[in-house]
Amino acid sequence: MITLETYFDYVILPILAISVMMVFIRLFKGPSVVDRVIALDLIITTGIGIITVYSIRSNQAVLLDVAIILALIAFLGTVAFAYYIEKQKDD
Amino acid sequence: MKSAILQTATRYLLPILLLFSFFLLLRGHYYPGGGFVGGLVAAIAFVLHSFANGTANTMKILRYKPLSLIPIGLAISTLSVVAPLLFGLPPMTGLWFEEPIPVIGMIGSALFFDLGVYLVVIGVVLTILFTIALEQ
Amino acid sequence: MELLLVIVIGLLYSGGVYLILRRSMVKLLLGIMLLGNGTNILIFLLGKITKGSPPVINEAYKVFQDIYADPIPQALILTAIVISFALTSFAIVLLKRVYALVDSDDLDDLNTPEEEEL
Amino acid sequence: MNLLLSGIWVALTGSMYYTNFLFGFMLGFFVLWIMNRTETDQRYFYRVPKIISFIFYFLYEVFRANIQVAFDVVTPKYFFKPGIVKYPLNASTDFEINLLTTMLSLTPGTLILDISEDKKTIYIHVMYLTDPETFVRQTKTGLERRLLAILR
Amino acid sequence: MIDIILAILSSIGALSILFASIGILRMPDFYLRLSVTVKASTLGVGLLLICAAIMFPDVSVTTKAIAIIFFLIITAPIAAHMIGRSAYFTGTPLWKDTVIDELAGMYNKETHELESKEEEAENPPNEEPNIAKSDEETE
Amino acid sequence: MIDNHILAPVFVQLFTAIAQLMFWRKTVTQRFLSVGGSIIGLLVAIRLFSRTQSEGILTMNAANWDAPFGIVFVADTLSVTLVLLTSIAGVAVSIFSSVSLSRQRMLYGYFPIFHFLIMGLYGAFLTGDIFNLYVYFEVIIISSFVLMTLGGRKAQLEGAVKYMAMNILASMFFLTGIGILYGITGSLNMADVAMKIQLVQNKTLVGITSCFFIIGFGIKSAVFPLYYWLPSSYHTPPSAVAATFGGLLTKVGIYAMIRVLSLIFIPDDFTKTLLMVIAVLTIVTGAFGALIKTNVRRLFSYLIVCHIGFMVGGIAMFTKVALMGTVFYLIHDIVVKTTMFLIAGLIRQLRGTLEMEKLGGLYRDYPKVSLLIAVVLFSLVGIPPLSGFWPKIFLFQDSFSQQQYFFAAALLFGSFVTLFVIARMWSKVFWKNPPEEENVEDRFAPMQPYKKLLMLLPIAFLCGVTLYIGLNAEAIVNVTDKISNQLIDNSSYIKAVLGEKTN
Amino acid sequence: MLFTVLTGLITSGLLIPFGKLIKIKWSFLLPLIPVLLFIFYLLHIPTIAGGTNLVQHVNWVPSMGVNLDFRLDGLSLLFALLITGIGTAIFFYARTYLKGHVYYDRFFAYLLLFMSAMLGVVLSNNILTLFVFWELTSISSFFLIGFNNDSKESRSSALTALSITGLGGFFLLAGLILMGNVAGTFVISELFSKHDVLLAHPLYPLIAGLIFIGAFTKSAQFPFHFWLPGAMKAPTPVSAYLHSATMVKAGIYLLARFTPVLGGNELWNNTLMIVGGFTMAFAAIHALFRVDLKGILAYSTISALGMLTFLLGLGTPEAIIAAAVFILVHALYKANLFMVTGIIDHETHTRDITRLAGLRKVLFPVFIAALLAALSSAGLPSTFGFIGKDLIYEATLHYEEHWALWLTALAIITNVGLVAAGFMAGLKPFTGKLPADFEKVHLPYPSMWIPPLLLGILGLIFGLFPGVVGDLFNNQAANAIAHAETGMKLKIWHGFNMVLLLSIATLAVGIVVYLVNKPSEKKLAAVERFNRIAPQRVFLRIGRSIMRASAWYTHTFHNGYLRSYHIKIIIFAELLLAYKLWISGPIKINWEELTPLSWYEVGIVAILLGALYIIVTTRSRLTSVVSTSVIGYCICLMFVFYSAPDLAMTQFTIDTLTTVLFVLVLYKLPSFINMTSRWIVIRDAMVALGFGVILSLIALRVLQEPNTTDVSSFYGENSYLLAKGKNVVNTILVDFRGIDTMFETVVLSIAAIGVYSLIRLRLKASEKE
Ligand code: NA
Ligand code: NA
């Protein structure tokens, strides 16, 4: 009998891990910086997912606090990149 | 470069983030969080605002230079550190009010200390980022 | 998992060292950051990592009921992270100023103090 | 807005005591006081429930979008015909525009690239574009109208 | 019963994240990648968070999960919009099969302001370098 | 003895700095605050010193947690002596800066940072906790970065890049060492670690750990082959800043090395040999560098390196007598090196340059100032009976009884080169007439008399201190004797920190 | 005795700052100091002559065994009288010599400083106190030689003199300390009893060697002699006082003082004999070729010093007595000759003996003084010099059989040279025809010519009544050197014997040499050709090579390239740590204790490493920043996995902020260019990997150690109960280890202020520094 724990351990988390790695390939390949930036953004978003699942898995609701922080401020990085990719073009 | 979408969104996000930063500050003693993260989040809120509306506008909201937050924060935390000396205790000793206060819980010198840290962190991050941003 | 972290530590240190041996100021900075990260994970690992609960006492109790992560390394790393941030931000700005003055990112161009009379 | 903030505060702290809500309210008030020095628009106060219902509407749309994309992603052939479309706005307030753009970005095949300075036009990247005019018309009568109906 | 619901929800969530990652890998141009990832990831993470909300009986967890979803919904489109427009502005190329680009030539190069009417645009479309740009580093 | 006021010097500096930050851009207020704060700091330090002299090692458990659970502060004789000397140097530099530094620098936070730096030094000397020591090190380095770059021109900033990179590297080694130390002992309280490290089965691991500290502190104290940051940067900042650096910063490295080696990693033969090799090479390196430098401050920079070698050599021998030599030298060096860089600042004020070829005629124009300076210079050289002479006796004595003839030779060589380069400098800077073609820009002469006085006062004050150290060497010897005893037999320290638990 | 030392020191200390306040007319008070001191020591003669030694003890640094111990015995008294007596003469002389000089006051300050230091040297009964005064004589000599600091030669001579005597000083210090260590005391009078201990000690050669170097440098023995002729750049009173009569004899004093402690040993005696013998002959010959009066005197002084060393080396009672007498003889006539030279220089403005002649007509009293000195130096019977010479031959002749002849020959050569040199300096300028341009030369103030005349007369008196002199002090001095009763009486007449014959022969040959030898610039130049192998050149060449070597060394190590500094530091660390790891043996991994591996962790780690790879290889700046963020986020996730939510939060926010900062600052910079060669890249990569591997191995090693957790469990147990916090990490941060946090905020504040000022502050050009 597959319990929810093992399902999370052996299905969900690996899927997420594989996703992150695939996104990372995009980050690796680029080709442009904006591609890398959205890859980074997606990695973080997926990271929120991983944290969520992990907090369920380890029964630690406390870890969701980290996810809140990620959700709230991760996009600041993207905004910053966007802001200055554009500005850089200007100079 | 300005984005109307970002500007509008910042209007909701700034208070939410500030609120969240208070939240992190106050509950730090019981859950993950504390003055540092709280301060960082608060600072990020203003940084976001400055991205959307320009640093000059953010400075207007703040009214005072972020640099001036640093001595205030330092003074608060230092005072909370040395306060125990008045009671003949070593510096940094936690002093607590007898009764818990609603919402915040127990109020003690640790909270004031964390508040000082919080203010310093905001002051520091904003000083650094705004100084750079204004120079551009 | 410890082995994995050991490898991560080794490679972070390697990467950091490699970057501080380069000529670029930005790489120097990145190298310093990597070294900082490597050190943090080293402290984390050597403080005996635990996949238990976070060092937060459950609401219902007054002391820990089960295995919990060693809070000391966490506190140390927290301090170290913040300090690194302070140093890094100062360093970044210093680099910017130097770049503006020297008009080069090449560390080999920073020889004014060795040559110029002050 | 203040109530909303109080609500978020309660959500964050996760305890439903009235004191907590009160404190959240006070905090929110304080926060608003800090930022409202440049802010005059206070109309959001009455729209909290509508906003929440709208969020759930979105979740559905997002779900639909995902299926479509998933299909396209896993199949080797690309079915889409992308393009960037100019879209004149009916929505006028910032909040309306914002909601519309958020919605458009989260729904199938559309992504807001930018909004013009005078806030009258948005540029949308569309994945399945047959004809720009058809797309504009469909969106105008569909999403935007529905949204404005809720908001106004 | 709850377990099965959780399993389904989490599977859908995980899969949509997976699709998003495949999408970001496979899509032929930046805008399509962006388009795909924003939606899929938001949904996926949202579903996982709902799982968490169900898993933990605590009210606080539920509200936290809702808060996270809320924040993601607010921030993800903004991030996408920001990076999308700067990508466009810096000349990140569109896919070769792109049908139409009505944004072309609409930016005021001096001020970065976006005009809403075509005749106000300063740059004639033929000088627009965006499409022609090769797929290379835009550092 | 528990004394809750051990940290008073730290808090005096901290409050001074905070008050100055509150009076941001009020330079006159800041100057008064700075001098006032420094003097109060000195008084507090004197009080602390006399208390430890009468009551032995004082401790303070911060936050009222018994060691090893909280951070403990320990005022043993070594610590308070260094605190006292730092205060002395601090007062001098504070006064000197208030007249010599440009107003612009003061507007941008020179004084608060300076007081933060002094505070960091106090903290580093007083703390009994290894991680806390790290934090103070960081306070010190970040403030030194800021001071070095404050209003910096090109060369200063370039020097600062190197200074920064290598100091951060030192921090990295130090922090890594702390991580490992915590890994093997589970404690951060130095006294507690000293107890627990004896229980570590794998003794080589202890040796490995000690290497990290030696390298970290070695970079800080600028020993061979880790010294490069010092001659790359010390000649660049304003003289008041350079005085603080030259007098105090490398000495913190030495202090930390002494502390850690005497308490936690009692040197084995390998460590001793290693340190001895380092010491000899450091002396030679510094001496060689000093021989070829024609700029006064570059010369001083290499002399710092050279003399660090003296102290490291004393640590390497690690006997009571050798440590007395090291500690005495440390005391002497703090005072003299601070003065030297202040003198460099004065010379610069007088002539607008520090290049020896372009200097000259100071003896002719300012004979009394010159002779005042001469006293300091000869003290540096170790001309008896000035302060630099006495520690060398200990070092020679012990190098003979330990049969470290290489060290004795290096000591001799280093002393001789110091004598030679200082005499040459005297001849070129003071005796020689300035070259004709140089138009001397004397910014000293037009100064108001009280400003002149304020500029000379710190130098005279420090000169007085070095004369006191030299002529009343007995007092200093007694102090160093006490310090050495505490270092060689660390049980008093451990007992003071951990109480009776240790028995 | 302390007060005699302190008087001068204090007066000198007051004179330097306040000297200008003393009017010239009050300056006659200055010579009173040496006068009074001289009288003071004169009064002690009876006591000492009676065989009693005076001792004084004042604590200074008792814990180091360094005290103001003074002891007055025959040797000390002899020197003390010389110092104060000749000092008196010099002070009077110099007052006039330097009248009107701007640094008049300072000159006397230095002179007083010197006199006191010299008194300290000869009176100290503690070797370290002796050293203190010893160095003070070097320093005051430095200031006096460089007194005319406008002149380049003066400066360089002062530097040379200080270098040589200073170098010797440090050797001496080492030797003294070593001797003190071995003997267990620094008190000289106690050292006498340790004679056997010291001689038997294996380090004896080192002790002796170090002390020799100290003494030889100070007393200008070959090959350290060359600073002395240079020192003649000093004003003549200085030359007379320091560089002939007193300071240079400090080395002799030292050797004499330690003869009873370290002497009586072949090493000791032979070294002194060889060095002294060579020096005396070498310098005597050299003196003949000089044209500068002061040059002649300088070399003859070196020769005399060599003679003294030589005599001490002989070590027989005769030799010791000879030395004791010769010290006095030489001081009297050499100071005299120098003062005469000073007068000549002062009045004629030249010291070139090829130009000087016939001055007896215009400077008659001076001529008398010079004549007396020359005769004494020549050793004419009935002068004090005769007795000296007599004793010298006595000493050499009575040395061991097979050596006696050679030594006597050496002494003869030297003495012949000295006779000729004495005449050249003392007679030559006064004889012959007065050149026209010297006709207007007139006699200076009496205060200038009376002192030399007095000294000359004193020499004559001593020569006539040698017994008095001998009884009064030379005998006791000799006893002190020998540390035994030498029991010899000085006599003017020993009857006709070998010694007398030799004396007369010496005199005759010397006169012949004087008449034949016509020194000229040409001859001097011819001699100078040998300078290539002269010690001065050798030292110079060594010095230059050291300079070159240091330049090379310094620039090689400190080459200006940060990365080269880094690689040296890293390699040093690697070598050290690798060695330590090597000796720590193999590493065993206990697989069972490790936590299990999971997929997501592997995934995260893979990404982290991938990002690392990108950072290292990318040429795009922004890409590397993006990758750095990725690393930060991966670490954040790992913190989550390992139950560190606080860390994860902080890591994430800080990382985001750092990214923002980077982006704000760096977008303008150009992309990386490949600036280093392939080989360097490979080398750096190896070094870097090596460092990583070492760190990994160390980490593995540490993991094997069992952990002690009593501190952290204390936190766990008491965080809530005592510190009222449930988040233990936060409780640590704000309570248990709150001080850390306090100062961490300070670090942040400093950084912020730093950034603020770094960007805002722009100094004007006028505000540089
Ligand atoms: Na450091
Ligand atoms: Na230093």
Side-chain angles (χ1 to χ4, degrees), chain G residues 426-641:
Chain G
L427 283 183
K428 177 82 187 19
F430 297 96
T431 52
K433 191 178 171 293
L434 185 70
D437 49 339
F438 293 156
E439 269 167 17
K440 283 185 190 139
V441 167
H442 46 70
L443 206 57
Y445 284 106
S447 56
M448 265 181 94
W449 55 261
I450 289 176
L453 193 60
L454 265 175
L455 290 182
I457 293 168
L458 208 58
L460 195 64
I461 295 171
F462 286 177
L464 292 172
F465 308 102
V468 185
V469 184
D471 288 345
L472 285 181
F473 32 79
N474 279 336
N475 200 10
Q476 289 304 324
N479 290 349
I481 298 173
H483 202 58
E485 195 66 35
T486 46
M488 186 167 254
K489 295 276 174 201
L490 292 189
K491 284 179 291 184
I492 196 166
W493 191 248
H494 294 272
F496 282 100
N497 56 12
M498 190 63 185
V499 175
L500 184 64
L501 203 66
L502 284 177
S503 292
I504 290 166
T506 307
L507 189 59
V509 179
I511 289 169
V512 172
V513 171
Y514 164 65
L515 294 175
V516 173
N517 176 40
K518 293 279 175 267
S520 68
E521 293 288 349
K522 221 171 162 186
K523 279 191 185 170
L524 188 63
V527 177
E528 303 265 295
R529 263 187 291 141
F530 291 99
N531 275 357
R532 262 187 303 134
I533 52 161
Q536 182 168 15
R537 287 300 173 90
V538 174
F539 273 90
L540 208 64
R541 216 171 305 146
I542 293 174
R544 288 223 182 98
S545 354
I546 290 179
M547 290 296 253
R548 259 201 306 276
S550 14
W552 174 84
Y553 176 89
T554 306
H555 293 139
T556 309
F557 275 95
H558 192 250
N559 57 7
Y561 299 121
L562 183 59
R563 61 203 157 91
S564 95
Y565 306 155
H566 279 156
I567 205 166
K568 283 170 208 156
I569 293 174
I570 295 292
I571 288 178
F572 175 74
E574 282 181 5
L575 290 177
L576 196 58
L577 293 170
Y579 170 75
K580 283 280 185 183
L581 265 178
W582 175 256
I583 59 169
S584 72
I587 295 170
K588 290 187 214 78
I589 296 167
N590 191 352
W591 297 97
E592 281 147 32
E593 278 185 9
L594 302 180
T595 46
L597 208 66
S598 23
W599 269 104
Y600 48 92
E601 288 163 345
V602 177
I604 297 298
V605 167
I607 290 170
L608 194 152
L609 298 183
L612 189 61
Y613 179 77
I614 296 180
I615 297 177
V616 170
T617 53
T618 186
R619 287 172 64 178
S620 152
R621 230 176 267 289
L622 224 46
T623 305
S624 59
V625 175
V626 173
S627 310
T628 316
S629 316
V630 172
I631 290 186
Y633 299 142
C634 289
I635 291 174
C636 166
L637 280 183
M638 290 208 280
F639 286 150
V640 172
F641 296 152

Side-chain angles (χ1 to χ4, degrees), chain C residues 1-6 8 10-14 17-24 26-30 33-34 37 41-42 44-46 48-59 61-64 68-72 74-79 81-83 85-86 88-90 92-94 96-97 99 105-108 111 114, chain G residues 558 560-563 566-567 591 594-595 597-598 600-601 605 609 612 615-616 621 624 628 631 635 638-639 641-645 647 650-651 654 658 661-662 665 669-670 672 675-676 681 684-685 688-689 691-692 695-696 699-700 702 705 707 711-713 715-717 720 726-729 732-733 744 747-748 751 754-755 758-759 762:
Chain C
M1 182 55 194
E2 279 89 345
L3 285 183
L4 216 53
L5 279 182
V6 164
V8 168
L11 287 174
L12 280 175
Y13 273 103
S14 294
V17 167
Y18 181 78
L19 288 178
I20 65 168
L21 297 179
R22 307 267 56 77
R23 278 169 68 173
S24 156
V26 177
K27 286 193 178 177
L28 170 71
L29 213 73
L30 295 174
M33 288 168 71
L34 288 185
N37 280 330
I41 299 190
L42 181 96
F44 197 58
L45 171 70
L46 300 189
K48 304 293 165 352
I49 50 171
T50 322
K51 259 193 187 173
S53 24
V56 177
I57 301 169
N58 197 294
E59 263 179 77
Y61 302 101
K62 292 189 168 181
V63 286
F64 282 107
Y68 61 99
D70 186 349
I72 300 175
Q74 296 193 16
L76 302 191
I77 297 169
L78 223 135
T79 309
I81 290 176
V82 176
I83 287 176
F85 172 70
T88 316
S89 47
F90 184 78
I92 292 175
V93 176
L94 177 61
K96 176 187 159 71
R97 286 282 291 126
Y99 177 74
D105 168 53
D106 189 349
L107 284 167
D108 286 9
N111 276 333
E114 323 295 340
Chain G
H558 192 250
Y561 299 121
L562 183 59
R563 61 203 157 91
H566 279 156
I567 205 166
W591 297 97
L594 302 180
T595 46
L597 208 66
S598 23
Y600 48 92
E601 288 163 345
V605 167
L609 298 183
L612 189 61
I615 297 177
V616 170
R621 230 176 267 289
S624 59
T628 316
I631 290 186
I635 291 174
M638 290 208 280
F639 286 150
F641 296 152
Y642 287 97
S643 331
L647 270 184
T650 316
Q651 172 84 29
I654 293 265
T658 312
L661 245 174
F662 247 119
V665 168
L669 271 66
F672 301 130
M675 289 179 291
T676 30
V681 167
D684 293 349
L689 269 177
F691 194 73
L695 261 294
S696 295
L700 277 180
V702 177
E705 275 297 309
N707 38 349
V711 178
S712 59
S713 35
Y715 291 164
E717 280 153 27
Y720 187 70
K726 285 193 166 172
N727 179 358
V728 186
V729 174
I732 294 175
L733 286 177
E744 176 193 348
V747 172
L748 276 174
V755 167
L758 198 56
I759 289 183
R762 295 283 189 277

Side-chain angles (χ1 to χ4, degrees), chain F residues 10 21 24 62-63 65 69-71 73 104-105 108 113 116 119 129 131-132 135-136 139 142-143 146 149-151 153 156 162 165-166 169 173 176 180 184-186 188 196 200-202 204-205 207-208 211-212 215 219 224-228 231-232 238-239 270 274 285 288-289 291-292 297 302 348 363-364 367-368 371 378 383-385 389-390 393-394 396-397 400 405 412 415-416 419-420 423-424 426-427 431-433 471 473-474 477-478, chain G residues 16-17 60-64 66 103 106 110 128 131-132 135-136 139 142-143 146 149-150 155 158-159 162-163 166-167 170-171 173-174 177-178 181 186 203 206 210 546-547 549-551 553-555 557-558 560 562 565-566 568-570 572-573 576-577 579-581 583-584 691 695 698 701-702 705-708 710-712 714-715 722-723 735-737 739-740 742-744 746-747 750-751 753-754 756-758 760-763 766-769:
Chain F
V10 174
L21 282 179
W24 186 251
W65 300 107
F69 304 115
I71 292 176
F73 286 85
Q104 281 296 313
R105 284 204 168 89
Y108 284 91
I113 307 282
F116 278 135
M119 177 200 77
D129 185 283
F131 187 77
N132 198 235
V135 174
Y136 290 117
V139 172
I142 186 83
S143 22
V146 177
T149 53
L150 197 62
R153 291 170 305 124
Q156 288 167 346
K162 294 174 185 172
M166 280 180 267
L169 201 60
F173 276 107
T176 308
I180 299 174
I184 59 177
T185 61
L188 296 164
K196 284 182 178 155
V200 176
Q201 268 105 49
N202 189 344
T204 50
L205 201 51
I208 290 173
C211 287
F212 282 94
I215 295 168
I219 297 176
F224 181 89
L226 315 165
Y227 65 98
Y228 310 101
S232 293
S239 293
F270 175 80
L274 174 74
T285 305
F288 276 177
L291 273 175
I292 61 161
R297 281 208 301 202
Y302 268 106
R348 202 190 167 104
Y363 185 66
R364 182 191 62 195
K368 279 168 206 163
L371 288 168
F378 287 128
I383 295 295
F389 166 64
W390 304 105
I393 296 182
F394 288 120
F396 267 123
Q397 252 183 332
F400 288 130
Y405 297 114
L412 213 150
S415 305
F416 172 66
L419 170 73
F420 177 77
R424 188 180 61 182
W426 174 264
S427 155
W431 273 353
K432 182 186 75 186
N433 283 331
L471 297 177
E474 177 66 13
V477 170
N478 286 334
Chain G
I16 288 172
W60 186 16
V61 192
S63 41
M64 282 175 93
V66 181
Y103 300 141
R106 241 179 280 159
Y110 298 148
L128 289 177
F131 180 77
V132 170
E135 288 289 274
L136 278 183
I139 291 302
F142 175 69
F143 278 99
N149 55 50
D150 302 340
R155 293 197 303 266
L159 191 56
L162 184 66
S163 303
L167 179 65
F170 289 121
F171 276 101
L173 177 63
I177 291 172
L178 187 54
N181 259 12
F186 288 139
L203 287 177
L206 185 61
L210 291 169
I546 290 179
M547 290 296 253
S550 14
Y553 176 89
T554 306
H555 293 139
F557 275 95
H558 192 250
L562 183 59
Y565 306 155
H566 279 156
K568 283 170 208 156
I569 293 174
I570 295 292
F572 175 74
L576 196 58
L577 293 170
Y579 170 75
K580 283 280 185 183
L581 265 178
I583 59 169
S584 72
F691 194 73
L695 261 294
I698 292 172
R701 252 209 183 292
V702 177
E705 275 297 309
N707 38 349
T708 33
D710 51 347
V711 178
S712 59
F714 175 87
Y715 291 164
L722 298 177
D735 196 333
F736 290 112
R737 300 186 62 86
I739 298 279
D740 279 349
M742 173 78 244
F743 291 101
E744 176 193 348
V746 171
V747 172
I750 299 169
I753 298 165
Y756 184 78
S757 54
L758 198 56
R760 291 290 177 82
L761 175 56
R762 295 283 189 277
L763 289 186
S766 61
E767 293 171 313
K768 66 179 179 183
E769 222 228 317

